[in-house]
Every structure is written in C-alpha cells, then in structure tokens.
Amino acid sequence: MTNQQTPQIEITNIVYKNKVKRTQSDEYVEITNQEKTPADVSGWQIASGVGRNKAFTFPQGTILAPGQSVRVYTNEVHPESGGFSCGSGVSLWKDSGDEVRLLDAQGNLVSGLAYDSKGNFTKTTTANEKTSAVDTVVENQSTDAKLNELLNKTVLIENQETKRYLFSVGEPIKGQRGDEGGWLASSGFASPKVVGADANYYNRALWKIVPSGDSFLIENQETKRYLFSDGEPIKGQRGDEGGWLASSGFESPKVVGADANYYNRALWKITTI
C-alpha cells in the first residue's frame, strides 16, 4: 500500500469467552473490509492482549473482498470464515477485559477494540486514525523505566488473577551461596518451595530484583533464596502442555528457593505488558 491511504479495515467483533473451557480455543477476532474495493492485508497483524505480543500475522496473498469479514481463532480452523488460526494452546483474550489491535504491515495501528468484564465494547481507533509503531516503542521505554525504578529495591510480587504473593518457604540459606550443592534431594538437599500466600507473613513475601546481565535474579529478603525453576524446559509452542495440573496430562514443575544460581535456572526475564 505504498503511497496509498491505508484501507478501512476494522475489528468488528471479538468473542473472548466461548464454549470451550480452559484453553478457549474457539475464541476469535473478526475483521471486516469496509471498503468498496478489495484490500490486501498480507503481513498485517492482530496483537494479542497478553503482553501485546503479535498473536497472528496474515499470510502473503490475503485479499479481503469488499464487505468481507474473516475470523482469526485462537486454536481452531474454520474455512468458512477464512480458515485463520493463531495456533495457541492457551487463551489469548482475558475474560476480565482486554484490547485487540490490528496493525498494518508497517506496524501502524489501524483498528482497536477494547472490552470490559461486563462485555461492553469500545473502539479505541479507526482506520486512517492510526498510531505509529514509534508510540509503542515509547510506551515500552516508559514501562522499562518503571521496572528500572524497582531494581535492587524491596518489592511484593502479586499474581494478577489469584492476588497471592510469591512467598519463600523453608530455612534461610547458611554459609556461602552454593554450599547446599544443588536444589534436588539427590544432591543432598532439597530446596524448599516457593508458594502463593495471601499475606506477607514474617516478611517472606518480600523480594529484591537484581540485574544479572540481560536477565534478573529474584532474591527473597528473609531467606536470601533465589527464585529457581525446576523441571524440564518447555518443548514446542506455549500451551502445548495443556495446563498445569496432573489432571490435564502434565503437571507443571515446581518453583523453589535455591541458595545459588545453578545452571542459570535462577535467571529470569521480566516481560513488560
């Protein structure tokens, strides 16, 4: 669309809570060509409300006829509505409220549709009233600045959905880091769990975010233990494990409090949303 006005393509519907439980594979976003001529949306993207990640990119050769609507499902394929799917094993749209964004091939915001927990919808932009991708960069820089303000300071880490605090169980470390020899019982010492508590008992929900290269160590103020990821790395795409409980077919490994950064498993990447 070089040197041409961006075609008027709008997000006309989002079904964020449908019939499929847990994975919500049947949720979808619908876009419509409001023009009287065909529109090429090759390379256009639908941005997920989870971290504003690009959930879906329309393949080359995607042409919408005048007035045509297509749907992009979370993890289902329906040829009658375009056959587009994000292929995500987990829900992309928050039931509590979110915003869907349609970006053109240059990353400009073309259309947006927000909704709240009661199902009220609000258009956040319309075609040709677009926001440059530079604004997204500025927004990310602002969020990164806020993160920098938290570094090496005492913080509470609260889960958005359960409202539980990240909480360090077990004895504080003794001696030097690494003296425990590992985090598994086979090493001679099994690192204590990190759980989700409803309050900051004995200051064990207080943590410090410590920069380490491009990543971060998250250290408990009281126990001095690092937040540490046990288990195998994920395989395939996010959501392939189908859940976190054993009843889902796979039980997610624990997060524990280790006395040292064994095999870099205490290094975390903090993604702003």
Side-chain angles (χ1 to χ4, degrees):
M1 304 305 300
T2 304
N3 297 324
Q4 295 183 19
Q5 190 179 46
T6 302
Q8 189 178 2
I9 312 296
E10 293 186 5
I11 299 170
T12 47
N13 194 18
I14 174 171
V15 174
Y16 59 90
K17 192 172 183 180
N18 216 344
K19 298 178 181 179
V20 177
K21 303 297 183 182
R22 190 164 54 81
T23 62
Q24 298 190 39
S25 60
D26 58 344
E27 59 185 9
Y28 64 83
V29 174
E30 180 183 83
I31 68 169
T32 301
N33 178 13
Q34 306 287 15
E35 299 279 0
K36 296 181 179 180
T37 57
D40 185 351
V41 295
S42 302
W44 287 37
Q45 297 170 326
I46 289 178
S48 165
V50 181
R52 295 288 179 259
N53 295 318
K54 307 302 184 295
F56 180 80
T57 300
F58 287 96
Q60 290 298 312
T62 302
I63 308 294
L64 300 187
Q68 181 183 4
S69 296
V70 296
R71 296 176 179 177
V72 179
Y73 282 81
T74 292
N75 199 21
E76 292 186 359
V77 176
H78 294 265
E80 71 278 8
S81 58
F84 302 115
S85 174
C86 296
S88 173
V90 296
S91 173
L92 292 175
W93 312 109
K94 300 175 186 176
D95 293 349
S96 57
D98 215 325
E99 180 186 9
V100 191
R101 294 185 175 189
L102 177 66
L103 310 177
D104 67 16
Q106 287 72 45
N108 296 321
L109 181 60
V110 176
S111 178
L113 187 62
Y115 61 92
D116 60 22
S117 60
K118 297 180 180 180
N120 299 312
F121 289 83
T122 304
K123 287 186 178 181
T124 53
T125 188
T126 56
N128 303 319
E129 295 177 358
K130 54 188 180 181
T131 303
S132 170
V134 171
D135 293 325
T136 304
V137 173
V138 171
E139 180 181 342
N140 289 340
Q141 289 175 341
S142 174
T143 310
D144 290 341
K146 293 178 182 178
L147 175 60
N148 289 333
E149 294 174 2
L150 300 178
L151 299 182
N152 294 308
K153 294 182 180 179
T154 302
V155 297
L156 290 163
I157 302 177
E158 177 184 341
N159 184 271
Q160 178 174 291
E161 292 299 316
T162 66
K163 307 303 180 186
R164 294 185 177 277
Y165 290 144
L166 210 58
F167 188 95
S168 182
V169 178
E171 293 295 318
I173 65 172
K174 300 175 182 179
Q176 302 298 312
R177 291 201 178 277
D179 283 355
E180 292 174 358
W183 70 98
L184 300 173
S186 58
S187 69
F189 182 86
S191 294
K193 297 181 295 183
V194 172
V195 299
D198 72 329
N200 177 30
Y201 302 108
Y202 304 105
N203 287 333
R204 286 172 171 259
L206 297 181
W207 301 82
K208 183 167 64 175
I209 301 173
V210 183
S212 180
D214 294 333
S215 303
F216 300 91
L217 294 162
I218 302 177
E219 177 187 342
N220 187 267
Q221 176 176 288
E222 290 299 308
T223 65
K224 305 304 180 186
R225 295 185 175 278
Y226 290 147
L227 193 66
F228 189 96
S229 182
D230 188 18
E232 294 295 318
I234 65 172
K235 299 176 182 178
Q237 302 297 314
R238 292 200 178 276
D240 284 355
E241 292 171 0
W244 66 96
L245 301 174
S247 58
S248 69
F250 180 87
E251 185 172 7
S252 295
K254 299 177 295 183
V255 173
V256 299
D259 74 327
N261 178 29
Y262 303 106
Y263 304 104
N264 287 332
R265 286 171 172 257
L267 292 180
W268 299 84
K269 179 187 296 183
I270 301 177
T271 305
T272 55
I273 59 174

